[in-house]
Amino acid sequence: MIRHILLTMCFVGILADQPGWNLMFGTDVLNETHKEPLTFDNPVPKWIKGSLVRNGPARYGMGKHSFLNAFDGYAKLYSWQFPGNGSAFFSAKFVQSKSYKESLSINDVANYQTFDNLVPPRTFMEQEMSVANGIDNMNVNIYNYSGDCVILTDAWKLYVVNCYTLETIRECNPTIPNANTGFPYVSMLSVAHPVKEFGTNHHLTFLQSKSIVPTVPSKFTLVRTKSADIREKIAEWEVKKMPYLHSFSVTERYAIILACPFYVDIEKILTGHFPVNSMFFHKDEPTLTYIVNIKTGKVTTIQTESVFTFHHINAYEMDEDTILMDVASYPDASVVSIFENNIVMNSTRLNAYPYKPSLKRFKIDLKAEKITPRSFDVNPKVPHVNNLDTPTINELYRSKHYCYIYGTVPKSDFKTWSNISFVKKDLCNTTGDLSWSLPGHYPMEGWFVPDPNGSAEDDGVLMLPVLDGNQGKSYLLILDPKTLKPIAKSYTPFITPFHFHGRFIENLF
């Protein structure tokens, strides 16, 4: 009853002008199913063979407690399976993490680390216990590590799952040979977006190790991931401050971190403060860019303008000394606060919130050790396209020259946050920019599935989960990447609320 009253208070002023928005955030969707048949309104291309698997929050509390922030909702996995014969199936299941199972057993939110506080608030002792138990709710992304399906967030810990049944298999805290991650370091942070290493089946990621001894510097470790359990140290270097990281870029020879001046105060978290109150953006400080030679481990550090980013898009080498790197950027880190319930569920506050995304390209001159940022030209017919985030590309063009980015643009009318468009950005020809939207429909992150018989970069389909706020239903939309016109869509058996990230895994059905 308390949770119902609190959510109702949050929804005041939002339902009238943004139909179904309350279904995106803050509404528990407890339904689960396995391989339920789907019916599309038009034939699905038979060359599509595999599963779109996605991860995100779908339960915003337990018993007498609810979460204040969408980042803390209990993880739920979704799968759209395509056997390659025109049929399709849908599955959904909550991640059976330790924190979720313990919460179920006590009918309350168990004491594990959350990004923000609860309602009613945790006591100091409860928060100390939560810090000790650590991060356990892996609700952000999903990867296929050489046959091991793993779910993760911006933490080193992960869970192994079965991407076919969506069953949770085990938790995993992989060790790194020849890397000191114990005292005096607190080694718990990583990135939710590892990147495939060029020319291999491995992925690259980072471990952030914060020193709790003043005389010992903190450090970054670049790591090669070969499976859920196997790691190799590539490079390690000292850092003065610990920035928050969510993603990074990889080229044929380099891994590139934008260490934005948005710092995590680990000591504050360890003494009982919530992460949301322990992260600070320093607008007067530059962004440090770490460029790591994957083969030699050499690290080059170059300063650039103060900037914040959640999502790197792609990077590639123009020549021996020049790298181009594209990111969805922001002038500061205020975007992090948008997922607080008192903002995302209040139309007045949400629409007034400062939201200034910008697609940026950083030209890195390795020889001169200089970085030049630039923005892209705006197409007046679709002026919102350069404001995209949650980007996706044709992964066959990862770490290579490419032309097309696909992403979502909230506030695409520059007025109302819930006016969300799904867009195509043509980096090679501004006149190729495109946009898709429908009133009261809320698209989420898309995924590009390449046509195995295609030759052009945009030969394939885009798979796009959408919440139809007008009908209070969810559907999967398949778009033509060349035109952003619908090919087919199918409603799911129940709502799939806002979820963060996922991917298409070939031959999984």
Side-chain angles (χ1 to χ4, degrees):
M1 183 64 181
I2 293 174
R3 289 186 61 211
H4 175 74
I5 293 171
L6 289 169
L7 289 172
T8 300
M9 292 170 63
C10 286
F11 297 159
V12 170
I14 198 165
L15 297 179
D17 59 344
Q18 300 179 37
W21 186 255
N22 60 303
L23 300 176
M24 279 280 277
F25 299 95
T27 298
D28 294 346
V29 182
L30 304 184
N31 312 63
E32 297 181 320
T33 189
H34 176 63
K35 211 168 182 182
E36 191 162 339
L38 294 176
T39 301
F40 279 83
D41 60 357
N42 285 304
V44 174
K46 291 185 178 181
W47 57 260
I48 301 175
K49 295 182 180 181
S51 295
L52 176 68
V53 189
R54 295 188 54 79
N55 188 359
R59 187 167 189 168
Y60 290 89
M62 192 86 71
K64 67 180 181 181
H65 282 100
S66 59
F67 298 120
L68 278 176
N69 200 300
F71 286 147
D72 292 322
Y74 290 111
K76 191 176 186 180
L77 300 178
Y78 308 92
S79 174
W80 288 263
Q81 300 172 336
F82 299 87
N85 57 8
S87 65
F89 302 90
F90 176 74
S91 300
K93 190 171 183 62
F94 278 95
V95 174
Q96 300 298 302
S97 62
K98 289 195 304 184
S99 56
Y100 186 67
K101 290 192 294 184
E102 187 175 329
S103 297
L104 286 174
S105 69
I106 63 174
N107 191 31
D108 200 357
V109 175
N111 291 321
Y112 287 82
Q113 181 69 67
T114 52
F115 186 68
D116 207 339
N117 208 338
L118 309 180
V119 179
R122 277 180 171 147
T123 66
F124 178 79
M125 184 59 68
E126 287 172 338
Q127 178 54 13
E128 286 289 296
M129 292 173 62
S130 299
V131 172
N133 287 333
I135 301 169
D136 187 67
N137 182 31
M138 305 294 139
N139 65 356
V140 176
N141 214 338
I142 186 160
Y143 274 77
N144 180 11
Y145 286 165
S146 301
D148 291 338
C149 270
V150 300
I151 53 173
L152 60 166
T153 181
D154 294 315
W156 183 248
K157 178 181 177 178
L158 50 84
Y159 271 86
V160 181
V161 300
N162 183 317
C163 273
Y164 175 72
T165 65
L166 304 186
E167 296 285 343
T168 305
I169 299 174
R170 60 186 172 92
E171 63 178 302
C172 184
N173 273 294
T175 59
I176 309 170
N178 304 313
N180 178 17
T181 58
F183 185 82
Y185 300 108
V186 177
S187 301
M188 64 180 184
L189 295 180
S190 185
V191 292
H193 293 268
V195 185
K196 194 169 184 180
E197 183 178 7
F198 184 85
T200 77
N201 289 322
H202 306 144
H203 287 76
L204 301 180
T205 190
F206 284 91
L207 175 63
Q208 296 172 261
S209 299
K210 170 64 178 177
S211 171
I212 56 175
V213 174
T215 57
V216 178
S218 300
K219 63 180 181 179
F220 276 172
T221 307
L222 174 62
V223 180
R224 176 177 291 112
T225 297
K226 291 189 170 182
S227 69
D229 300 285
I230 300 174
R231 302 290 185 273
E232 289 180 355
K233 184 176 78 171
I234 296 174
E236 198 167 80
W237 67 100
E238 297 176 353
V239 296
K240 293 182 179 179
K241 292 184 178 181
M242 192 59 66
Y244 165 77
L245 296 176
H246 187 66
S247 64
F248 65 103
S249 288
V250 172
T251 70
E252 184 174 348
R253 293 180 296 159
Y254 300 99
I256 309 160
I257 291 179
L258 276 181
C260 305
F262 184 48
Y263 301 118
V264 183
D265 189 334
I266 297 293
E267 289 92 343
K268 196 171 182 180
I269 294 174
L270 293 176
T271 54
H273 295 268
F274 289 91
V276 70
N277 300 317
S278 307
M279 305 166 76
F280 307 95
F281 188 82
H282 297 258
K283 64 179 181 180
D284 296 326
E285 293 188 18
T287 295
L288 296 180
T289 306
Y290 300 116
I291 303 146
V292 188
N293 187 305
I294 297 169
K295 184 176 181 180
T296 67
K298 178 185 176 183
V299 181
T300 301
T301 305
I302 309 176
Q303 290 188 5
T304 188
E305 64 182 12
S306 178
V307 69
F308 175 74
T309 180
F310 270 126
H311 297 117
H312 286 233
I313 300 167
N314 197 16
Y316 61 93
E317 299 166 28
M318 287 184 65
D319 54 44
E320 190 70 17
D321 298 312
T322 310
I323 297 171
L324 297 183
M325 178 175 66
D326 299 330
V327 304
S329 76
Y330 298 83
D332 55 43
S334 58
V335 65
V336 175
S337 301
I338 282 176
F339 290 98
E340 296 174 11
N341 285 347
N342 63 355
I343 296 176
V344 77
M345 295 310 302
N346 183 300
S347 58
T348 302
R349 292 193 65 185
L350 185 59
N351 294 336
Y353 205 80
Y355 182 67
K356 300 177 181 178
S358 175
L359 176 61
K360 281 199 174 180
R361 170 163 285 180
F362 292 85
K363 184 177 181 180
I364 303 173
D365 186 329
L366 294 172
K367 191 172 184 179
E369 296 193 356
K370 178 182 178 182
I371 297 178
T372 305
R374 78 171 182 88
S375 300
F376 289 88
D377 292 337
V378 175
N379 183 337
K381 294 182 179 179
V382 277
H384 56 279
V385 168
N386 289 4
N387 293 351
L388 67 83
D389 206 333
T390 58
T392 187
I393 66 170
N394 182 340
E395 287 294 326
L396 296 177
Y397 287 75
R398 174 68 58 193
S399 305
K400 301 177 183 178
H401 176 272
Y402 73 121
C403 288
Y404 305 126
I405 307 169
Y406 310 90
T408 56
V409 182
K411 212 172 185 177
S412 56
D413 61 351
F414 302 100
K415 296 178 182 178
T416 306
W417 178 272
S418 64
N419 189 310
I420 304 176
S421 296
F422 185 79
V423 301
K424 176 183 184 178
K425 176 63 185 178
D426 189 338
L427 302 172
C428 302
N429 183 0
T430 304
T431 61
D433 292 355
L434 297 171
S435 180
W436 175 92
S437 64
L438 286 173
H441 290 234
Y442 311 123
M444 296 170 232
E445 177 194 63
W447 190 264
F448 185 96
V449 183
D451 184 340
N453 298 313
S455 57
E457 183 183 339
D458 56 358
D459 282 340
V461 299
L462 287 158
M463 292 187 173
L464 182 63
V466 183
L467 194 150
D468 178 348
N470 301 314
Q471 295 192 56
K473 297 180 179 180
S474 295
Y475 61 92
L476 184 72
L477 180 64
I478 299 178
L479 292 173
D480 181 348
K482 294 182 181 296
T483 63
L484 289 198
K485 291 184 178 180
I487 295 173
K489 76 174 181 180
S490 176
Y491 283 92
T492 51
F494 44 82
I495 288 290
T496 59
F498 173 81
H499 39 283
F500 290 111
H501 300 296
R503 67 196 53 254
F504 186 85
I505 302 175
E506 293 183 359
N507 299 318
L508 176 71
F509 49 82

